[in-house]
Amino acid sequence: MKKATFSIRRGGRETAEMVDYQTEISEGMVVLDAVHQIQAESAPDLACRWNCKAGKCGSCSAEINGMPKLMCMTRLDTIPLDQPVTIEPIRAFPPIKDLIADVSWNYEVKKRIKKFKPRAPDAEDGTWRMSQEDVDRVQEFRKCIECFLCQDVCHVLRDHNKHEEFIGPRFLVYAAALEMHPLDTEDRTGDLKDMHGIGYCNITKCCTKVCPEHITITDNAIIPLKERVVDEYYDPLKRLVRLFRKK
Amino acid sequence: MTDYPTFEHDVIVIGAGGAGLRAAIEASGAGVSVGLICKSLLGKAHTVMAEGGMAAAMGHNDDRDNWKVHFSDTMRGGQYVNNWRMAELHAKEAPDRVRELESWGAVFDRTKDGRINQRNFGGHRYPRLAHVGDRTGLELIRTLQDHGIHQGIEVYMEVTVLSLLKDGDRVIGCLAYEREHGRFRIYKAKAVILATGGIGRAYKITSNSWEGTGDGHALAYDAGAELIDMEFIQFHPTGMVWPPSVRGILVTEGVRGEGGILRNSEGKRFMFDDIPDNYKDQTSDTEEEGWRYVTGDKNARRPPELLTRDHVARCIMREVKAGRGSPHGGVYLDIAWIKEKIKDAPEHIKKKLPSMYHQFKQLANLDITTTPMEVGPTTHYVMGGIRVNADTQESTVPGLFAAGECAAGINGANRLGGNSLSDLIVFGKRAGEHAAIFAKENGHGTLDNAAIEQAAKAALEPFERDGGENPYTIQHDLQEMMQANVGIVRQHDEMVEALNGLDALKSRAARTFVPGNIDFNPGWHTALDLHNLLVVSEAIARAAIERKESRGGHFREDFPGKDPEFAKFNYSLKKSEGGGMEISKIPIPEMPDYLKEVIEEMG
Ligand SMILES: Cc1cc2nc3c(=O)[nH]c(=O)nc-3n(C[C@H](O)[C@H](O)[C@H](O)COP(=O)(O)OP(=O)(O)OC[C@H]3O[C@@H](n4cnc5c(N)ncnc54)[C@H](O)[C@@H]3O)c2cc1C
Ligand code: SF4
Ligand code: SF4
Ligand code: FES
């Protein structure tokens, strides 16, 4: 059987090194299989996250040869094996150990986004009516598996460390799903502008490119949200209305 | 004693899948303080993987549907050894629980008139599964998660519970360790809810993640609770079989609900060959009628591909054994054929089954809109679990509740697809409600420091040995053995051999060695999981040996028929005084007249 070498980040929060492991490759294997094989054969304490092994849970995000990907959906026959394959944790967040990053920040950010607030039920049976066309858009956003790969590539977080001011593409998608939900009555535009830092996004579309769920993050979620913010805050008429509303 | 950090809550929920989250929401809504513990990150529990949908008799797609039909379908599917009270509550309450999800922000697929759309699934007489494409579990878990985070629930992620703590008879908390630093913690609680999911990892071929090691089953058993129905394991008929690394990954029944058909290597639709008597008048006898059914014709009967899972899985095994299987030991599941029937079939398939499309495209290099898939049975779900009171979900140990897959009763000998997600929300809610009541009526117990010390010490042993067994190897050997000896087709001698094998594995598990330190160490975790896997495997084997008949998920080659004697009781397993596993029969109470009438009425 053919063997391949994997160069994997080993270490904790402070220090780490890249360690090479060799393992046998069989047909159809994905990167996560290789990591598991290495765990079972030579590095039982190698830490990595995974659950579904089918691209559904968003646990196994990593940087494979520097590319942010799901380990369970990256087939070995799609990457060159004549040189070591590097596997590292996603970099926009601090490493915990080996392939595991501390993504807890994301869970805190989500809490700051105002929750779903439906209008009162208006169908006779005490529920609502929504047509499929009305929910298509929101369903696209709700496909998100919270892999945080988009957060990982966004330069605002990755290079500029604006974690305090900017919620990142994942949570702009989340906010969009709430804002465009046919039943929702909450207004989040003010927060998006001030607290969530939507202005930091300069539409590079790097996030859209890595999304394993193929959510068109920038075009379908962020740009429409930006438009809402502009309409609400920079449209002279609306501004006037708001001025009066405040009083 | 060592000072472990101690956390105090009124209610501790162990497990953050659909059942645990729903329970936590309910309990905190009742005004008690709730701690929610899970092994992975929030939102990653097994529930996220569920595909096809959740069953609730809302009657949106066929107004003949109602709780009575759902109840009788569930009982028939479970071959009448279900806890009928649970089946009743489930059928009655599921619609409200689903609507409640919508009011919390869930966005289900819609019918033409704007209501929640419902799809066909095996064993359900009418289209009954509320769904979102083929990612319903994601919608469920995300809705509960996003609702729950605003409820003041304290979430402890990547924390693994090692044992339950007791004060006398009563459960008063648990000992756990947080994975990042490997440190022990104590959680004190007035009531504890187990919602730990399944046991699939006891088998080699499974749709379950690493989390499915039966922890809740073992925790409850060790604390003195009873496990019932452990012989009933659901082998889902359609798991992927190729390539080897994805063997076992689930292919949703939704494929068949949307018109997918099963063929053998001769191109024959073999499911028409063997239709069980009690499903004959509900099953179509021509391909043409079957197609009409999946396209919504109310007068058509369902195609045989949508018979119950136990039956379909065995038919597939039969074809493979008879040499009519596919190249990699499965059969063909074909959805591409619907292009003969509808325009835009490829687009339709991608829209209805997007994650199946991607799964095959990316993992198997196969386009399901043009090419049939290869599929075979995979260990999927455990009907058995912790014995609970149907109304309150309290186990036989005071202060200990259970809900979701780790609890038992509703499914009997076989679960209908879609009945798990609805089970999670119906009984998750009930568990939360009653645990909160229990917590209000009882104070905190007193910790037994010696017991805590002992459990903590035992957990650290794999580091203290100078070399020993690799835990991964033991896990692997256990899975091989359970697959071979207590799998889909069972036989007395093989199962007895399995029991002996389990003894040997037990002594090996007592000699594991793990290198490295206690920080986030999966090898250590695997070593600790072994105990749980061994407990559930033994329970499965012991109950399966005793049940000398075939029923639902339990099939005996040496007793291929159903025996009415065995319909009168459930097998229960309990830790004896001496520490061994004790099996006993629990008579199934007689069904009240109004439920008997429902069964008769529904035929
Ligand atoms: C691929 C797939 C598809 C499915 N599709 C459907 C479907 O379409 N419809 C349907 O009805 N059912 C379906 N099922 C079944 C259904 O998804 C599961 O039965 C259900 O999700 C189980 O939910 P749960 O809440 O009981 O547990 P889980 O979702 O399994 O969650 C268990 C939780 O317990 C935690 N836990 C476990 N042990 C410990 C411990 N020792 N310490 C701390 N925490 C612990 C875990 O971390 C996790 O958070 C499917 C299953 C699979 C695998
Ligand atoms: S488009 Fe915006 S959110 Fe996406 S990566 Fe670029 S800057 Fe970040
Ligand atoms: S939007 Fe896409 S890339 Fe970002 S977290 Fe969700 S699934 Fe991952
Ligand atoms: S393991 Fe779930 S996305 Fe990779």
Side-chain angles (χ1 to χ4, degrees):
Chain A
M1 276 255 185
K2 213 170 99 184
K3 284 202 168 195
T5 305
F6 296 84
S7 181
I8 302 180
R9 178 191 184 277
R10 298 301 312 269
R13 282 189 183 262
E14 313 296 325
T15 55
E17 54 178 346
M18 298 299 284
V19 178
D20 282 359
Y21 298 93
Q22 282 220 324
T23 195
E24 265 179 22
I25 302 304
S26 58
E27 188 179 344
M29 254 171 89
V30 293
V31 171
L32 184 63
D33 293 321
V35 171
H36 282 160
Q37 240 167 257
I38 291 164
Q39 259 180 352
E41 292 162 3
S42 46
D45 59 343
L46 165 59
C48 79
R49 287 195 183 105
W50 71 283
N51 281 75
C52 69
K53 222 174 152 313
K56 295 190 169 79
C57 71
S59 303
C60 65
S61 307
E63 298 195 4
I64 300 162
N65 284 342
M67 301 294 289
K69 291 212 163 122
L70 297 177
M71 289 193 279
C72 71
M73 295 303 271
T74 307
R75 286 171 57 120
L76 292 178
D77 55 17
T78 62
I79 41 182
L81 297 179
D82 46 0
Q83 56 220 8
V85 179
T86 63
I87 317 178
E88 293 160 275
I90 52 175
R91 258 181 255 176
F93 305 106
I96 290 182
K97 188 190 165 199
D98 303 341
L99 296 177
I100 293 186
D102 181 351
V103 293
S104 56
W105 172 81
N106 292 283
Y107 290 87
E108 292 309 312
V109 168
K110 195 184 234 183
K111 285 190 207 156
R112 300 207 304 260
I113 298 167
K114 282 190 196 145
K115 70 183 232 189
F116 176 64
K117 193 167 123 194
R119 65 167 192 257
D122 42 19
E124 332 166 329
D125 58 358
T127 64
W128 299 269
R129 296 289 176 270
M130 289 183 267
S131 71
Q132 186 60 45
E133 295 74 60
D134 288 344
V135 301
D136 274 341
R137 193 161 59 154
V138 178
Q139 284 188 332
E140 180 194 0
F141 305 147
R142 293 183 65 88
K143 285 194 306 191
C144 171
I145 56 174
E146 302 201 327
C147 65
F148 306 131
L149 288 174
C150 57
Q151 307 286 71
D152 185 43
V153 291
C154 177
H155 66 104
V156 184
L157 299 173
R158 187 185 178 103
D159 301 329
H160 305 289
N161 276 309
K162 296 280 182 206
H163 295 75
E164 292 291 315
E165 294 116 289
F166 181 56
I167 59 176
R170 156 59 191 137
F171 295 104
L172 292 172
V173 168
Y174 179 65
L178 290 164
E179 283 286 291
M180 299 179 201
H181 194 302
L183 305 182
D184 183 70
T185 57
E186 187 62 85
D187 182 4
R188 299 171 190 81
T189 36
D191 285 355
L192 281 165
K193 176 170 138 314
D194 303 327
M195 240 165 72
H196 305 330
I198 192 170
Y200 280 105
C201 164
N202 56 348
I203 321 194
T204 58
K205 303 201 185 186
C206 310
C207 50
T208 305
K209 276 185 216 126
V210 297
C211 177
E213 285 293 309
H214 307 289
I215 301 172
T216 16
I217 304 176
T218 342
D219 289 2
N220 288 357
I222 301 181
I223 294 177
L225 285 183
K226 278 180 173 275
E227 284 167 0
R228 282 181 190 217
V229 171
V230 169
D231 281 355
E232 186 81 6
Y233 288 89
Y234 304 99
D235 174 324
L237 199 68
K238 286 250 177 81
R239 247 157 124 176
L240 211 65
V241 173
R242 225 186 32 252
L243 215 65
F244 282 111
R245 244 201 264 136
K246 268 192 186 151
K247 287 185 180 161
Chain B
M1 74 172 231
T2 335
D3 268 334
Y4 301 126
T6 303
F7 301 81
E8 252 185 54
H9 289 282
D10 293 321
V11 174
I12 282 285
V13 182
I14 306 174
L21 277 163
R22 188 62 192 82
I25 289 171
E26 195 64 20
S28 75
V32 300
S33 97
V34 178
L36 177 63
I37 308 178
C38 52
K39 289 201 279 193
S40 292
L41 295 172
L42 189 59
K44 312 294 183 195
H46 213 122
T47 300
V48 79
M49 297 156 67
E51 296 164 356
M54 60 189 98
M58 300 187 286
H60 291 174
N61 296 55
D62 192 323
D63 55 18
R64 290 172 296 182
D65 202 11
N66 58 50
W67 79 264
K68 293 180 180 176
V69 194
H70 192 181
F71 168 76
S72 69
D73 285 352
T74 301
M75 293 300 294
R76 182 195 303 264
Q79 312 243 358
Y80 303 102
V81 291
N82 323 47
N83 177 323
W84 44 259
R85 175 67 179 157
M86 279 177 91
E88 176 194 3
L89 289 171
H90 171 251
K92 283 181 172 164
E93 293 175 6
D96 280 345
R97 294 288 80 75
V98 172
R99 289 187 200 109
E100 179 176 73
L101 291 175
E102 187 164 79
S103 74
W104 292 347
V107 184
F108 292 100
D109 286 355
R110 318 305 297 177
T111 59
K112 289 224 164 57
D113 65 352
R115 296 189 291 175
I116 294 173
N117 196 9
Q118 301 189 263
R119 75 157 42 119
N120 288 310
F121 238 56
H124 293 282
R125 188 173 309 188
Y126 302 118
R128 191 177 282 146
L129 268 67
H131 62 276
V132 186
D134 52 6
R135 55 162 191 85
T136 313
L138 171 64
E139 192 68 21
L140 172 65
I141 201 164
R142 201 67 83 229
T143 301
L144 294 174
Q145 173 189 347
D146 295 349
H147 185 74
I149 55 175
H150 297 286
Q151 288 244 348
I153 300 162
E154 196 69 52
V155 183
Y156 303 93
M157 297 195 264
E158 300 193 316
V159 172
T160 297
V161 174
L162 296 172
S163 62
L164 296 175
L165 304 175
K166 288 177 79 176
D167 181 358
D169 279 343
R170 193 185 136 201
V171 167
I172 53 148
C174 58
L175 173 71
Y177 88 95
E178 49 93 11
R179 300 200 59 196
E180 178 174 352
H181 300 109
R183 302 276 155 71
F184 295 113
R185 289 178 170 185
I186 292 163
Y187 290 92
K188 281 183 78 172
K190 297 170 185 165
V192 172
I193 302 175
L194 290 167
T196 51
I199 59 97
R201 285 273 137 189
Y203 288 84
K204 183 177 158 205
I205 300 172
T206 175
S207 63
N208 288 195
S209 84
W210 67 271
E211 292 199 319
T213 43
D215 297 9
H217 291 75
L219 289 168
Y221 170 83
D222 286 333
E226 286 177 51
L227 304 179
I228 58 166
D229 293 340
M230 291 301 287
E231 67 275 34
F232 299 122
I233 306 290
Q234 179 163 79
F235 298 94
H236 193 291
T238 60
M240 291 176 83
V241 297
W242 189 259
S245 68
V246 298
R247 186 157 198 144
I249 291 181
L250 194 75
V251 181
T252 173
E253 191 166 319
V255 175
R256 284 168 283 146
E258 296 294 339
I261 55 176
L262 292 166
R263 290 189 199 277
N264 62 21
S265 60
E266 296 164 1
K268 181 161 192 237
R269 254 180 101 173
F270 57 85
M271 285 307 300
F272 279 105
D273 295 353
D274 174 13
I275 298 169
D277 286 340
N278 59 340
Y279 280 98
K280 276 230 159 79
D281 26 316
Q282 296 184 10
T283 310
S284 57
D285 33 35
T286 63
E287 300 195 6
E288 179 271 332
E289 186 183 359
W291 172 251
R292 276 196 285 123
Y293 177 89
V294 295
T295 48
D297 180 343
K298 293 186 180 167
N299 298 314
R301 294 168 302 173
R302 66 172 159 251
E305 275 85 0
L306 290 178
L307 283 162
T308 54
R309 290 177 174 176
D310 51 336
H311 180 73
V312 180
R314 276 195 300 278
C315 290
I316 293 176
M317 292 284 285
R318 179 193 69 210
E319 292 303 306
V320 175
K321 272 203 176 146
R324 295 188 292 266
S326 65
H328 303 106
V331 294
Y332 295 105
L333 171 61
D334 188 1
I335 181 76
W337 82 280
I338 66 170
K339 62 178 177 271
E340 294 167 19
K341 297 282 188 185
I342 55 173
K343 280 194 302 201
D344 294 340
E347 280 321 302
H348 178 80
I349 295 168
K350 282 186 215 166
K351 170 91 195 154
K352 286 290 182 179
L353 302 162
S355 71
M356 283 305 106
Y357 174 76
H358 280 124
Q359 188 171 310
F360 275 90
K361 190 97 197 152
Q362 275 181 273
L363 296 176
N365 239 339
L366 182 147
D367 182 348
I368 66 167
T369 68
T370 60
T371 316
M373 304 157 242
E374 271 187 75
V375 296
T378 179
T379 313
H380 185 55
Y381 185 89
V382 59
M383 272 69 77
I386 301 155
R387 181 181 178 202
V388 290
N389 173 300
D391 290 78
T392 64
Q393 298 295 107
E394 189 171 7
S395 73
T396 46
V397 174
L400 183 64
F401 297 73
E405 190 170 340
C406 71
I410 179 182
N411 297 302
N414 174 54
R415 171 180 75 97
L416 297 185
N419 267 4
S420 171
L421 293 189
S422 41
D423 161 13
L424 307 183
I425 46 181
V426 167
F427 294 107
K429 175 183 187 293
R430 283 185 166 268
E433 183 184 331
H434 290 279
I437 294 173
F438 187 97
K440 285 177 185 168
E441 289 169 353
N442 292 277
H444 279 291
T446 311
L447 294 174
D448 175 351
N449 289 329
I452 294 170
E453 268 315 306
Q454 204 188 348
K457 191 165 166 283
L460 288 173
E461 277 170 8
F463 289 109
E464 269 136 37
R465 297 189 186 102
D466 248 348
E469 292 259 5
N470 178 341
Y472 291 98
T473 314
I474 302 178
Q475 192 194 58
H476 176 263
D477 294 350
L478 171 84
Q479 292 167 336
E480 291 270 354
M481 191 189 73
M482 288 300 285
Q483 188 80 33
N485 290 22
V486 202
I488 306 183
V489 176
R490 299 168 176 176
Q491 206 232 79
H492 182 84
D493 296 346
E494 285 175 4
M495 292 193 285
V496 171
E497 208 180 292
L499 275 185
N500 296 332
L502 285 170
D503 272 340
L505 286 165
K506 250 182 245 172
S507 24
R508 286 174 63 192
R511 294 194 303 267
T512 49
F513 165 72
V514 187
N517 60 24
I518 56 175
D519 293 354
F520 219 117
N521 188 330
W524 185 31
H525 208 285
T526 304
L528 296 175
D529 283 346
L530 286 174
H531 168 73
N532 305 328
L533 284 173
L534 285 162
V535 168
V536 293
S537 299
E538 182 177 345
I540 295 167
R542 286 199 188 279
I545 288 172
E546 288 304 315
R547 188 169 282 277
K548 296 182 174 51
E549 63 150 358
S550 294
R551 187 182 293 270
H554 171 69
F555 185 79
R556 292 275 305 247
E557 210 166 18
D558 42 359
F559 298 96
K562 209 159 36 178
D563 178 348
E565 270 311 298
F566 282 92
K568 294 181 181 155
F569 57 84
N570 304 101
Y571 279 112
S572 154
L573 300 133
K574 197 170 178 272
K575 201 175 199 165
S576 70
E577 298 278 322
M581 197 177 276
E582 227 168 47
I583 186 161
S584 61
K585 293 178 185 175
I586 302 179
I588 298 175
E590 194 171 329
M591 214 186 271
D593 288 342
Y594 70 96
L595 290 180
K596 280 190 194 150
E597 278 158 28
V598 170
I599 301 264
E600 260 161 49
E601 193 186 319
M602 297 298 148

